Amino acid sequence: MSTALRIILLGLMSAALLFGFLHLFVPGATQYNFERLHIFLFNLCSGGTVLIYFSESKPMLSTKGRLFLILAVAYAIFAFAKLYLAAVIIAFSLAVIVDSVRVKKFSLFPINFFKQDAPVSQKFHQASLLCLSMGLVISALVILNNEYFKIISFPKLKLDTFFLGFSFPISLITLAVMFSFMKGDFSKSILRLKNVGFWIVNLGVIIFFLFILYEKFVPQLMVTTILFLSVVLIYYLYTKLGVRVQQKNFLTSGMFFLWYTAVTGIVYIILASSSAYTPENAKLLMRMHSFAALYGWNLSGLAVICRKDDFPIRLHSKTIIVVHWITVIFFAPLGTYYWPFTACTIICYVFILYMMLFSKAMPKSII
């Protein structure tokens, strides 16, 4: 990865976090939906660009990748500014770019999904690209429906609900990397378990999203629990079959972040379905969940992908992993209420990003 792209990603990811705290510093910030910039700059702009870069397997970001980056930033800005017609046009354009990369690397129809012996890492990779392009198309259709045509009416059918559509591709590409490190046991039972993990994750998230739209809390809880169990299964496979590489430490930390998001998600659904629920008393819990998902699990995957050609590096340091956890689990949620924690979050987060993107190689003798 070029130094220029690393600098751009450092800026985008830092800006994404900053927009999550602007309500503390900008008078009348509640009238602005900074959450869109907070999510889109990280998941769509940074994560989507890294996914394109990783999929094309080129030493430098291609022209197609650069165009995606520019248009993704434009989409985030237009969606934030509520310039919806421009956002719709850009969303469709981005989907075309992503799908052109997917078709070139894999195929138009994802036939490998249905082949038992096809590498599961490749299935997750193609699913990641397909999910991103579909998320862009669906977000454009939601904007058209809500702002212009008003054909379908659901309280939850809004652009902000589709944050998941831009976060899930990062999760899938991280799982693709994890499965690529699983070697050594190709028995039918293991292959079956790998494919079970693939289908539960992908179908589970789709079904979960439908239950969100229809506001069915008990089914949401059931699906979330099944997804949690699938994560446990994938972790078992990863610890059993994962080769001993430096990246494994950071990805293992990421898996624990994913468990944390699953637990907080289950607790949130239980709270939301109870009579005690109010948006205010669930705010901290939702922040804990979203920060762990974005800056814990997703960042862990992006860290490994961004430096895929550079290992071994100092990224696996126990100190960095500890700082990462303290920042995401403790500083960041409290930082949405108290500015001293905001300052600690930003300082630690920029340090983590710098180490993620610019840390130098380690001597092999100390790895």
Side-chain angles (χ1 to χ4, degrees), residues 100-268:
S100 68
V101 173
R102 181 184 68 85
V103 171
K104 183 176 180 180
K105 185 172 182 64
F106 297 103
S107 60
L108 178 61
F109 182 77
I111 188 65
N112 279 351
F113 288 2
F114 307 98
K115 293 181 178 179
Q116 180 74 14
D117 57 346
V120 177
S121 61
Q122 295 297 304
K123 294 182 181 182
F124 272 114
H125 192 159
Q126 185 169 11
S128 175
L129 290 165
L130 187 60
C131 178
L132 181 55
S133 61
M134 290 178 61
L136 286 160
V137 170
I138 294 173
S139 72
L141 294 177
V142 168
I143 292 174
L144 288 173
N145 177 76
N146 291 353
E147 302 299 327
Y148 301 102
F149 303 129
K150 303 185 185 301
I151 298 172
I152 303 173
S153 178
F154 284 107
K156 291 290 186 180
L157 188 65
K158 53 186 180 180
L159 181 60
D160 296 348
T161 306
F162 284 84
F163 288 161
L164 181 64
F166 301 127
S167 177
F168 192 46
I170 303 177
S171 294
L172 291 176
I173 197 61
T174 302
L175 290 172
V177 172
M178 293 181 67
F179 272 82
S180 71
F181 289 143
M182 295 183 192
K183 309 291 183 182
D185 192 331
F186 300 98
S187 65
K188 289 185 178 180
S189 59
I190 292 297
L191 285 174
R192 191 173 294 112
L193 286 175
K194 287 182 176 181
N195 281 283
V196 165
F198 170 78
W199 282 110
I200 290 179
V201 167
N202 284 275
L203 293 179
V205 170
I206 294 171
I207 295 170
F208 178 71
F209 183 74
L210 291 175
F211 287 144
I212 289 176
L213 289 182
Y214 285 94
E215 299 185 82
K216 302 294 184 181
F217 292 109
V218 173
Q220 283 182 47
L221 183 60
M222 294 172 60
V223 174
T224 304
T225 303
I226 293 172
L227 286 170
F228 175 75
L229 293 176
S230 73
V231 171
V232 174
L233 169 63
I234 291 171
Y235 179 74
Y236 164 76
L237 293 172
Y238 186 60
T239 53
K240 178 179 175 65
L241 304 175
V243 296
R244 187 176 179 81
V245 293
Q246 189 197 18
Q247 296 94 311
K248 190 173 182 179
N249 293 326
F250 214 69
L251 288 172
T252 300
S253 174
M255 284 296 291
F256 285 120
F257 274 120
L258 189 57
W259 286 10
Y260 180 88
T261 62
V263 172
T264 52
I266 290 172
V267 174
Y268 176 81

Side-chain angles (χ1 to χ4, degrees), residues 338-355:
Y338 310 107
W339 71 262
F341 289 105
T342 305
C344 291
T345 301
I346 294 172
I347 292 170
C348 292
Y349 176 69
V350 172
F351 166 74
I352 293 165
L353 283 180
Y354 178 82
M355 294 302 295

